Amino acid sequence: MTGTQLMNYPTTNSPFSSPSSNSIQLHSAAMTSPVPPFSRATSVPSPQLPPALWPPLDFAFGALSCCGACVFTNPLEVVKTRLQLQGELRARGSYQQHYRGVLQALWVVGRTDGLRGLQKGLSAGLMYQSLMNGVRLGFYSYCDAVGVTAAPGGSLMAGAVAGALGAFIASPAYLVKTHLQAQTVEAIAVGHQHNHQGVSSAFANIYRREGVVGLWRGVNGAVPRVMVGSAAQLATFSSAKEWVTRLQWYSPNSWLVALTAACISGVAVTITMTPFDVISTRLYNQPVDERHRGRLYLGFSDCLVKVCRTEGLLGLYKGMGPVFFRLCPHTVLSMLFWDLMRQRAFQDVQNQS
């Protein structure tokens, strides 16, 4: 869920509201115009900004909404991690394939690790979502307040920088999440097995072995991953929603408008972000030597070259299926949870006034 999509949602209308409503017009204008969006959406000479929640509460709602979506999409994150680590630095056909697709991988994980295995790394994932989206929304809100998003391309740039900042701060949580989601029994194990006993054990082991710097190992792959993903989503979601609305495939109030737009945006994000996602997963999960350096990759560029050389270009798109199937529901659920919490908060404020 990008900061632009969340911060531009009106407080009085649902994100699934009528395409003829002001919410669509204002959101579209905010993404494409250097002038304040309300100047196009209404003829009132002195535009009024929508009411705003207390910023910390608004940021907390953004974090909670993404955490709620994470609970539902975490099994796909587990499968994605396994697929991206399978056949690491091995030529195609030279290794045993335990996972052959989204549904088959879900079945294998559930049958071998049990239902709890499908939610591996959930607590670390929730920690990552909270830190990542709290920082991202907070930074974007600041950019919006000082007028950065009003400039041409400002929303896109602010969203990308906010995503990079959030990815950097939340990197230790993503590191632990990757380690835990890769762990499994030897029969279906892929990638390096760190054998942590839990989230707190993972943080303690990494800190004891590598120090504070070790908690940010792999961040050089996470930052470009989130920047590219945020930029692609910012550039495609609102335009896709406007395009679907113009085609009138669904009734004006249908939630299918947002779902279809999320799917279209998900395709763009999946194509652009998956190579960065693969590199990020590999950098996070690789073992380290006595000098705390990666045993497999020296950094982002080295990982990119080695994957392309040994696994081919298609190696950069491992796990593409679960990446896509996770993005669409995660985006829609995040928007829905965000909107419901904001609507309830505004109702409480109005009742108290």
Side-chain angles (χ1 to χ4, degrees), residues 179-194:
H179 286 190
L180 294 176
Q181 290 177 341
Q183 285 184 189
T184 185
V185 297
E186 185 178 356
I188 59 170
V190 292
H192 182 72
Q193 300 291 292
H194 293 272

Side-chain angles (χ1 to χ4, degrees), residues 52-353:
L53 291 174
W54 183 46
L57 181 62
D58 216 359
F59 305 151
F61 283 166
L64 287 173
S65 66
C66 291
C67 285
C70 179
V71 173
F72 293 96
T73 60
N74 191 67
L76 291 170
E77 189 74 14
V78 173
V79 169
K80 180 211 75 171
T81 301
R82 303 281 179 87
L83 285 169
Q84 290 177 344
L85 292 173
Q86 182 170 246
E88 186 172 15
L89 298 183
R90 301 279 298 276
R92 295 184 65 184
S94 64
Y95 57 89
Q96 182 180 2
Q97 282 189 288
H98 301 297
Y99 311 102
R100 300 180 181 276
V102 179
L103 296 179
Q104 186 267 354
L106 287 171
W107 167 255
V108 170
V109 174
R111 183 187 60 189
T112 307
D113 295 336
L115 293 179
R116 293 184 61 182
L118 292 171
Q119 289 290 9
K120 280 191 174 182
L122 177 61
S123 55
L126 294 175
M127 189 183 305
Y128 171 76
Q129 291 291 337
S130 299
L131 290 171
M132 167 68 178
N133 289 284
V135 171
R136 181 166 61 167
L137 291 176
F139 182 82
Y140 182 85
S141 177
Y142 173 78
C143 292
D144 192 43
V146 298
V148 173
T149 56
S155 293
L156 190 66
M157 181 61 66
V161 175
L165 183 61
F168 178 83
I169 293 176
S171 182
Y174 199 92
L175 171 67
V176 170
K177 179 188 76 70
T178 302
H179 286 190
L180 294 176
Q181 290 177 341
Q183 285 184 189
T184 185
V185 297
E186 185 178 356
I188 59 170
V190 292
H192 182 72
Q193 300 291 292
H194 293 272
N195 299 318
H196 300 303
Q197 299 302 313
V199 176
S200 58
S201 170
F203 278 114
N205 291 340
I206 295 170
Y207 175 76
R208 186 165 49 248
R209 185 175 61 244
E210 305 174 51
V212 175
V213 176
L215 293 171
W216 270 267
R217 181 168 51 83
V219 70
N220 54 338
V223 170
R225 167 186 173 273
V226 177
M227 288 186 69
V228 170
S230 295
Q233 199 170 40
L234 283 166
T236 58
F237 182 83
S238 62
S239 57
K241 190 174 181 182
E242 186 178 358
W243 177 68
V244 172
T245 300
R246 283 202 311 266
L247 292 178
Q248 299 181 344
W249 287 347
Y250 314 108
S251 60
N253 295 323
S254 177
W255 57 272
L256 290 172
V257 174
L259 178 62
T260 304
C263 291
I264 296 173
S265 177
V267 173
V269 175
T270 301
I271 293 174
T272 56
M273 192 180 72
T274 297
F276 295 90
D277 202 24
V278 171
I279 293 174
S280 178
T281 299
R282 299 286 181 87
L283 290 175
Y284 274 129
N285 195 66
Q286 70 170 331
V288 296
D289 59 20
E290 296 76 11
R291 296 185 178 181
H292 311 314
R293 297 181 303 186
R295 292 182 181 274
L296 300 178
Y297 314 104
L298 299 177
F300 183 91
S301 300
D302 184 55
C303 182
L304 175 64
V305 171
K306 285 182 176 178
V307 171
C308 291
R309 183 184 302 159
T310 58
E311 304 174 49
L313 289 177
L314 292 180
L316 293 173
Y317 283 92
K318 286 184 174 180
M320 186 174 178
V323 168
F324 173 74
F325 287 114
R326 174 191 169 274
L327 279 172
C328 292
H330 191 277
T331 300
V332 174
L333 288 171
S334 298
M335 292 193 313
L336 180 59
F337 293 152
W338 168 267
D339 183 68
L340 291 176
M341 287 187 290
R342 285 172 59 91
Q343 291 293 335
R344 180 58 183 269
F346 278 110
Q347 289 176 4
D348 292 341
V349 171
Q350 291 173 357
N351 292 337
Q352 292 174 5
S353 61

Side-chain angles (χ1 to χ4, degrees), residues 4 7-13 18-33 35-43 47-50 155 238 242:
T4 296
M7 297 303 295
N8 281 333
Y9 283 140
T11 59
T12 56
N13 293 326
S18 169
S20 61
S21 66
N22 286 339
S23 63
I24 298 295
Q25 299 174 18
L26 299 182
H27 184 67
S28 173
M31 292 293 294
T32 58
S33 175
V35 299
F38 284 84
S39 63
R40 293 187 179 183
T42 179
S43 59
Q48 297 294 323
L49 292 175
S155 293
S238 62
E242 186 178 358

